[in-house]
Amino acid sequence: MYHYSIKNHRYTFSDLKTLLAKASPFRSGDAMAGLTAASYEERVAAQFCLADVPLINFLSETVVPYETDEVTRLIIDSHDAGAFSLIRSFTVGMFRDWLLSDAADAVALQLIRQGITPEMAAAVSKLMRNQDLILVAQKIEVVTRFRNTLGLKGRFSSRLQPNHPTDDLKGIAASIVDGLLYASGDAVIGINPATDNPAAINAILQMLDQVIDQYSIPTQSCVLCHLTTSLQLMNQQAPVDLIFQSIGGTELTNKSFGISLSLLQEAYDAGRSMNRGTVGNNFMYFETGQGSSLSANAHGGVDQQTCEARAYGVARHFDPLLVNSVVGFIGPEYLYDGKQITRAALEDHFCAKLLGLPMGMDICYTNHSETDQDDMDNLLVLMGVAGCNFIMGVPGADDIMLNYQSTSFHDILCLRKLLHLKPAPEFEAWLIGQQIMDPQGNLLPVTNAHPLLKYPAA
């Protein structure tokens, strides 16, 4: 039981799960679930109360029972007591103050990352303003490698997302060429297929592999099919670079996705045996999003931001190349407007980076939410300042297959120009060698004779 008094009114929070929910900044999903604070005053009381909770409490009081949830067991059983010893004496409030101090530099934050549980990260984020989330996240560098090096300071990458409503190979190839000529695609050329049919997905994989091989592009491909489909295709020796899966923060959420930790481990072992990386072997790609547990009725009374942070505990275990939140994709029932989407994105990025994940962001919204592209422009700059590893590059920022709004090739160029950022180093060298970009990062004019425009499917 937790208590805090304001103006002689005593607020009581029955357990840590309730306290975390009441301390969370308001969002529509928590309100729909009946978890949010009843008033602003109760939220402030919960935040003051949460600030006094020792971090060690999170190891003995779980928000989802250890006995019934494999995600909780993973979090507790994999906790690094040695790394935690550096912050063991802190309360949540003390942890916040330390994170914002100069003592919490990049080296110190790397030393403690395995000692931080997702719930600790979620808790401290609830005490932070937006600028605090940005300030801490930008200190953290998380570097991963497959065919290039992602996450270095001063670098900003993109997923080239050439989705097509019928998985037409020529349509996909045309969007790939368009994106590459705009210097997009160093994080991954990643396609959401319109169908999970293995034969159709294999055809896309073969085409992607041909493009990457023919032009010696230092990047990786991914068709974002279900994990079981990827396993089937790997067993057939299909050219699978990255293994994708949407994940959630509870065992029930992951069951709703048709997966378990053991299935993720099976896919991880299969991907490692493929050994397709050239400069490293990070090959898992995870997508998450606040509200996924609630939409699956699998949250167990845990607020959506804490559930999201727990998904990062799953991702961390499998040493991924890429992770991103599809922050506004699930809809206004969970994040109602631009203000809520912005706050959620900054929380997600902060928590993931604090836990040691190579975090990107799908800066996006659905057309029935109270949001527009100006909100996304604002969030784009905030994420760039915060040190986001990558965002999406969608033709025209309008995904014609998934029917939502994201970020465009031009948005990526804009942010690189504004913040003096470059693509991944190997990809940058390729762009310069292909005369797509000059050494200063400026796009060069492309003639009809450019080799990429001669690709047969285009």
Side-chain angles (χ1 to χ4, degrees), residues 10 74 109 120 140 200 220 275 278 302 335 362 368 423:
R10 183 178 174 87
L74 175 67
L109 290 168
M120 293 175 195
I140 303 170
Q220 36 281 329
N275 197 31
T278 55
V302 180
L335 296 170
D362 191 347
H368 63 307

Side-chain angles (χ1 to χ4, degrees), residues 11-12 24 29 33 42 45 85 90 156 210-211 224 240 277 309 326 355 379 438:
Y11 289 95
T12 299
S24 190
E42 185 183 21
S85 66
F90 287 177
F156 179 66
Q210 180 184 348
V211 172
L224 283 68
V240 176
V326 283
L355 293 167
L379 180 53
D438 69 19

Side-chain angles (χ1 to χ4, degrees), residues 243-316:
I243 301 171
F244 169 82
Q245 184 56 50
S246 295
I247 57 172
T250 69
E251 180 176 341
L252 285 177
T253 308
N254 287 326
K255 281 184 178 178
S256 77
F257 291 141
I259 61 165
S260 63
L261 295 183
S262 60
L263 186 60
L264 286 169
Q265 185 64 53
E266 181 183 349
Y268 179 82
D269 293 340
R272 186 170 53 187
S273 69
M274 297 287 284
N275 197 31
R276 290 177 58 83
T278 55
V279 300
N281 205 30
N282 302 111
F283 54 82
M284 299 297 283
Y285 177 16
F286 296 116
E287 280 192 341
T288 65
Q290 288 196 29
S292 60
S293 292
L294 177 56
S295 68
N297 195 28
H299 59 95
V302 180
D303 69 271
Q304 65 184 40
Q305 190 255 330
T306 301
C307 280
E308 174 73 0
R310 283 169 54 90
Y312 304 151
V314 175
R316 179 168 64 175

Side-chain angles (χ1 to χ4, degrees), residues 373-437:
Q373 208 66 35
D374 287 338
D375 294 315
M376 298 301 100
D377 285 351
N378 295 341
L379 180 53
L380 173 71
V381 177
L382 293 176
M383 294 307 301
V385 174
C388 183
N389 279 27
F390 70 99
I391 63 169
M392 308 298 123
V394 178
D398 185 359
D399 193 301
I400 59 173
M401 196 282 284
L402 293 173
N403 292 310
Y404 80 117
Q405 310 303 310
S406 186
T407 43
S408 71
F409 307 140
H410 299 80
D411 293 328
I412 295 154
L413 293 172
C414 175
L415 199 64
R416 286 175 178 162
K417 183 76 70 175
L418 280 172
L419 301 179
H420 307 291
L421 301 171
K422 297 181 177 182
E426 300 90 344
F427 193 75
E428 179 191 18
W430 180 82
L431 291 169
I432 293 169
Q434 291 287 314
Q435 297 185 330
I436 294 171
M437 191 177 77

